[in-house]
Amino acid sequence: MRRTLFGLLAICVMSALGFAQAAKPADVTVIRAGWLIDGNANTAKKDQVVVVRGNHIESVQDAAGFKAPDGAKVIDLSRATVLPGLIDTHTHIFLQDEDPAHGGYDAYLLKYPLSYRAARAAVSARQGLEQGFTSIRDLETEGAGYGDIGIKMAINEGYIPGPRIFAATRAISTTGGYPLEGYAPEITLPRGAQIVDGPVEARKAAREQLEHGADLIKVYMTHRSWVDRDGNLVSQPTLTVEELRAIVDEAHGWRKKVACHAYNGIGLQRALDGGCDSIEHGLELTDANVAQMVKQGTWYVPTIMPYFYWWDAADTAAGQRDRKRAEVHGHSFTRAYKAGVKIAFGTDAGSFPWTDSIAHEFSYYVEYGMSPMEAIKTATSRAAELLDMQGQLGVVAPGAFADIVAVEGDPLKDVKVMEKVKFVMKDGKVFRNEVK
Ligand SMILES: [Zn+2]
């Protein structure tokens, strides 16, 4: 009896230590890379070999003289450029676009059952992965509660394909600070974010969201925006500094970050004074804003693409606002970049269709002053830093998760090449391979 127990125990201990798995050569994959952009180095390396064991990268070395271990699976990407899996730090899998022709934003909350929204979120997540985005920081569910936590669970447990999700859950704004709006005051409407007024409610909302699994807290520091009679962009501030400080204090206690949607002006200033970890969108940054961001180490997640979608007619107030937002965003990007603000790649994917190219955002970064290599780093090693995953994500290096993509052509010559990812490996498993 005792011997049997001991035997069982030994088997358990051995499998827990991974002996059984480690002995299987099938767990080793060798990727031959024609060129490697590893996420850290400033230049691409020619003819490299990446050895993947299980879901981690074991080694990266010159192909010359390399001999693949017996039984290893070899993936030949010797005519492609291999990169770390891409990271979009501002997405919404619970949105599929806000085109008025499709019902606009309000239809999501008024017409669609949550099961329908979850099914579509699962498709959006897969579409992100197909494009090479192996991690996303999903910045709130737009009225779908904690749905992002459920999608993340289903992905992590292998039921559906999708990126690693860093979930913000419900987001926080104030009364008068988030849709649905514009209906009769007698009607009680659902809201796209959790509404709070006062520091006590603000802290409570953060606690609730953290309790239910939020990886970070998303806060709206500005809401409506318009162009005033002098032609300046104005945005309506929402939370006070005191309300924001309660949220930041709570989140930081949990070692979580606070991402702040802020366009410009008073709300953006409050976001910086209240200690936000990242400014989302940041359409219009003054020199003083930029200096404060550098001093405080605040991240900037510009999302340039969506502001070029669906402009209203030029002779309308909304049309003037749309044009102004796009115009000031580029200047702010250049100003922040030149001053050394930490920039992470974000797109607001979901506000435009997930079938459109997420990587199109790279072209704007290059247009506004970055080199293609720097632009790629915003979606790899820099984004991983924002996620507190440096060394584990966003790099092709020993010890990192085996999240690897490849493109045909040279993205350092033409960053648009990033819009056609042909190979995607996530967590050591090949999701897609169309490299010829
Ligand atoms: Zn957003």
Side-chain angles (χ1 to χ4, degrees), residues 90-92 139 142 218 220 261 281 348:
H90 190 133
T91 66
H92 299 280
L139 283 191
E142 310 289 356
K218 160 83 173 287
Y220 286 90
H261 167 115
H281 316 297
D348 225 356

Side-chain angles (χ1 to χ4, degrees), residues 36-372:
L36 175 68
I37 293 171
D38 70 9
N40 277 330
N42 287 323
T43 52
K45 295 189 188 91
K46 201 172 189 299
D47 294 328
Q48 298 291 297
V49 169
V50 182
V51 177
V52 173
R53 187 181 291 274
N55 67 341
H56 279 82
I57 294 167
E58 188 173 72
S59 67
V60 181
Q61 56 205 281
D62 283 330
F66 176 82
K67 195 180 169 302
D70 285 345
K73 190 177 159 209
V74 177
I75 298 173
D76 184 11
L77 303 178
S78 58
R79 285 178 302 282
T81 304
V82 171
L83 305 104
L86 304 173
I87 304 169
D88 187 338
T89 69
H90 190 133
T91 66
H92 299 280
I93 55 170
F94 277 85
L95 290 179
Q96 282 74 34
D97 74 46
E98 294 181 44
D99 189 343
H102 300 152
Y105 180 84
D106 293 16
Y108 288 98
L109 281 77
L110 293 175
K111 295 191 174 172
Y112 303 150
L114 283 176
S115 52
Y116 172 90
R117 294 196 64 190
R120 292 198 69 183
V123 174
S124 297
R126 192 195 71 216
Q127 287 167 333
L129 183 61
E130 279 168 1
Q131 296 192 38
F133 286 83
T134 51
S135 296
I136 58 174
R137 191 176 66 141
D138 202 63
L139 283 191
E140 84 127 316
T141 61
E142 310 289 356
Y146 293 92
D148 49 354
I149 300 296
I151 298 291
K152 174 181 164 173
M153 281 171 68
I155 291 170
N156 289 353
E157 291 169 18
Y159 292 110
I160 55 170
R164 298 173 195 279
I165 294 182
F166 296 81
T169 74
R170 298 182 63 192
I172 297 170
S173 192
T174 58
T175 297
Y178 212 72
L180 301 180
E181 56 198 0
Y183 294 85
E186 294 77 16
I187 304 173
T188 303
L189 287 160
R191 297 284 173 164
Q194 189 166 3
I195 301 299
V196 302
D197 293 294
V200 173
E201 285 186 17
R203 186 180 290 271
K204 187 173 184 195
R207 283 177 178 162
E208 277 177 20
Q209 295 180 9
L210 291 161
E211 179 183 16
H212 294 307
D215 296 306
L216 73 152
I217 300 293
K218 160 83 173 287
V219 171
Y220 286 90
M221 292 305 295
T222 63
H223 177 41
R224 295 161 200 226
S225 62
W226 62 92
V227 174
D228 70 10
R229 72 183 84 175
D230 300 321
N232 300 312
L233 182 71
V234 182
S235 59
Q236 165 217 342
T238 51
L239 280 84
T240 62
V241 173
E242 290 69 30
E243 288 166 332
L244 175 61
R245 281 208 179 116
I247 293 167
V248 169
D249 182 62
E250 187 66 28
H252 285 183
W254 292 58
R255 296 288 189 271
K256 307 286 188 190
K257 286 193 167 107
V258 178
C260 291
H261 167 115
Y263 276 4
N264 69 349
I266 298 168
L268 193 137
Q269 188 59 52
R270 289 182 189 169
L272 294 176
D273 293 344
C276 283
D277 297 292
S278 63
I279 297 294
E280 309 294 318
H281 316 297
L283 300 188
E284 191 171 31
L285 303 175
T286 63
D287 286 336
N289 294 151
V290 166
Q292 192 172 354
M293 290 173 80
V294 170
K295 188 165 168 239
Q296 295 180 185
T298 314
W299 286 89
Y300 181 31
V301 182
T303 58
I304 298 170
M305 264 206 308
Y307 295 97
F308 285 88
Y309 274 77
W310 297 308
W311 285 354
D312 273 324
D315 57 353
T316 63
Q320 285 167 15
R321 176 205 61 195
D322 294 345
R323 282 159 184 76
K324 188 72 183 175
R325 293 198 300 203
E327 179 203 320
V328 296
H329 206 166
H331 297 308
S332 297
F333 181 95
T334 305
R335 186 176 290 149
Y337 165 64
K338 284 188 176 159
V341 173
K342 298 188 286 186
I343 298 177
F345 182 97
T347 63
D348 225 356
S351 70
F352 56 86
W354 283 86
T355 43
D356 289 6
S357 171
I358 300 167
H360 184 59
E361 182 80 7
F362 285 118
S363 293
Y364 288 106
Y365 293 5
V366 171
E367 184 184 334
Y368 296 132
M370 276 187 174
S371 68

